[in-house]
Amino acid sequence: IKKKYGDEALLIFIMPPSMEELEQRLRSRGTEGESDIKKRLEIAEEEIGHSKDYDYLVVNDDLEKASENVLDILHKLYKWGNK
């Protein structure tokens, strides 16, 4: 995306609080089998390794707080809304 759009692209990485928490969340949903969970965790580890390539990192430890953090970033950069 950055190669195509350069600084016009804003990249925000949504990070799980920990791999353990991510695994617990995936398991508690009960929607995926063991092999799918393992594959998703492997993919997540790889993606987290690329998080340094993003403009911002938001830890999703609380959905409301993480959402507010993303909106704060957008408000500051693009002067959206009333902030």
Side-chain angles (χ1 to χ4, degrees):
I1 292 174
K2 284 288 191 180
K3 285 181 184 178
K4 183 170 183 174
Y5 296 103
D7 288 338
E8 290 183 36
L10 173 69
L11 303 181
I12 301 174
F13 189 88
I14 308 299
M15 174 84 78
S18 68
M19 289 302 293
E20 292 80 16
E21 176 67 20
L22 177 60
E23 182 175 359
Q24 180 181 353
R25 289 177 183 180
L26 291 172
R27 291 185 185 286
S28 68
R29 291 179 188 161
T31 58
E32 298 173 88
E34 185 65 26
S35 63
D36 291 329
I37 290 172
K38 286 184 178 185
K39 185 172 185 173
R40 289 202 49 191
L41 291 171
E42 288 172 9
I43 291 169
E45 281 192 49
E46 183 177 333
E47 290 173 343
I48 289 169
H50 295 285
S51 64
K52 67 186 178 311
D53 299 325
Y54 287 68
D55 300 309
Y56 292 89
L57 186 140
V58 173
V59 177
N60 185 14
D61 52 352
D62 174 84
L63 181 58
E64 188 172 327
K65 181 180 164 187
S67 299
E68 287 177 15
N69 288 340
V70 170
L71 288 174
D72 286 345
I73 292 167
L74 296 174
H75 286 293
K76 287 178 197 171
L77 293 174
Y78 300 109
K79 299 180 182 21
W80 289 358
N82 297 326
K83 289 198 175 192

